[in-house]
Amino acid sequence: MAESPLARAREASPGSDADASGSPARLRIDARDDRVVATLDRPDRRNAIDQAMVDELHALCADLEERPRTLILTGAGGIFAAGADIAQLRDRTGDDARRGINATVFDRIRRLPMPVVAAVDGFALGGGAELAYAADIRLGTPRVRFGNPEPGLGIIAAAGASWRLPEIVGHARASELLLTARVIDADEALAWGLLSSIHEPQDLLDSAHAVADRIAVNSARATILTKRALLAPRNAHPAIDGELQAELFDSADKYARMTAFLERKKR
């Protein structure tokens, strides 16, 4: 059997702490039949996103594109991600910016076939916030702090915040956060719809798994096509909905699920 892209990532299996070259892994992976939990794990850098982590995220995406499953993203040590690695950002050039190093992988995460759930604890700042914005569903703890401090560092939030955040919280609120670099807490994030719910830190991952459990009982294909419809541009609707529904209407899974529903009602 061919080795999967995930097996070639730095953290190819639970319990490994380095890649073949001996470099510390940036992700801890718990791969299951219907979901994958990926934990950002750079405790010495508050889970800052560097090039090695980007590479591992690409490998993870390749695996989830090949074998779709729900992805739960979280961070180790009570922090989601304190941002991109500033030491690397300082040395990047205009050509690096045009490559969209973080933006490309975050967009790939956003477009994974199955849902992405971000379980956010502590700081989600800069690139860490933009990674969370790329998720379909975000859960948090009372310790959550979201913010985009990029203008204070002489740059912009260019990995999705300028267009993805307005889609989540609205243009006015996104403008306030991105133009002032203000940091908001969990209660404000919940009120704005940036978080779906708040849980105590010890319950956060279980709550993310509960969301994955609810996804898992549904038709995987219907879930994939629902996400595809959600990501489609406005001018693609309603035509795309009809095409996606047509595929499902002709599926054996739809017939079996509806038959089972009708039979339960008869009891």
Side-chain angles (χ1 to χ4, degrees), residues 1-227:
M1 181 186 299
E3 189 179 36
S4 75
L6 184 57
R8 295 189 294 270
R10 293 189 167 200
E11 184 72 350
S13 61
S16 174
D17 60 2
D19 68 2
S21 70
S23 300
R26 295 333 197 219
L27 298 180
R28 282 192 281 113
I29 301 295
D30 176 10
R32 309 184 186 185
D33 288 341
D34 62 358
R35 72 199 64 177
V36 171
V37 181
T39 303
L40 313 184
D41 192 18
R42 293 189 74 200
D44 58 326
R45 294 291 186 270
R46 301 200 299 173
N47 301 331
I49 300 167
D50 66 351
Q51 183 64 60
M53 187 180 290
V54 167
D55 293 342
E56 292 182 30
L57 287 169
H58 274 299
L60 173 61
C61 286
D63 186 72
L64 292 172
E65 289 160 357
E66 183 179 287
R67 184 186 166 202
R69 285 158 289 168
T70 295
L71 172 62
I72 297 174
L73 282 171
T74 193
I79 295 174
F80 186 69
D85 191 300
I86 302 301
Q88 288 190 1
L89 280 181
R90 184 183 60 184
D91 295 332
R92 286 180 182 167
T93 66
D95 287 340
D96 292 319
R98 293 183 184 95
R99 286 169 54 208
I101 295 169
N102 287 359
T104 299
V105 75
F106 295 169
D107 197 54
R108 193 173 182 183
I109 289 167
R110 178 64 171 146
R111 295 184 179 282
L112 285 171
M114 288 288 284
V116 178
V117 180
V120 184
D121 191 12
F123 289 109
L125 303 176
E130 291 179 297
L131 175 57
Y133 302 157
D136 299 288
I137 300 167
R138 286 162 296 278
L139 314 180
T141 74
R143 304 187 298 205
V144 161
R145 298 294 183 271
F146 279 108
N148 287 96
E150 285 89 345
L153 296 169
I155 59 175
I156 69 170
S162 64
W163 56 274
R164 198 167 278 134
L165 187 58
E167 291 178 349
I168 300 169
V169 303
H171 190 274
R173 285 171 168 165
S175 295
E176 181 195 347
L177 288 190
L178 297 179
L179 295 174
T180 68
R182 185 167 73 85
V183 174
I184 63 172
D185 63 16
D187 289 336
E188 197 162 10
L190 180 67
W192 285 14
L194 187 52
L195 290 176
S196 295
S197 55
I198 296 174
H199 310 271
E200 290 304 314
Q202 66 272 19
D203 299 325
L204 179 62
L205 195 54
D206 285 344
S207 299
H209 278 295
V211 172
D213 289 341
R214 290 196 290 273
I215 293 168
V217 300
N218 296 322
S219 161
R221 189 61 184 165
T223 299
I224 288 170
L225 296 189
T226 296
K227 180 167 177 177

Side-chain angles (χ1 to χ4, degrees), residues 218-223 225 243-259:
N218 296 322
S219 161
R221 189 61 184 165
T223 299
L225 296 189
E243 288 301 317
L244 298 175
Q245 190 76 298
E247 176 187 327
L248 296 170
F249 268 24
D250 289 336
S251 71
D253 185 53
K254 167 252 190 179
Y255 186 86
R257 285 174 176 270
M258 290 191 175
T259 299

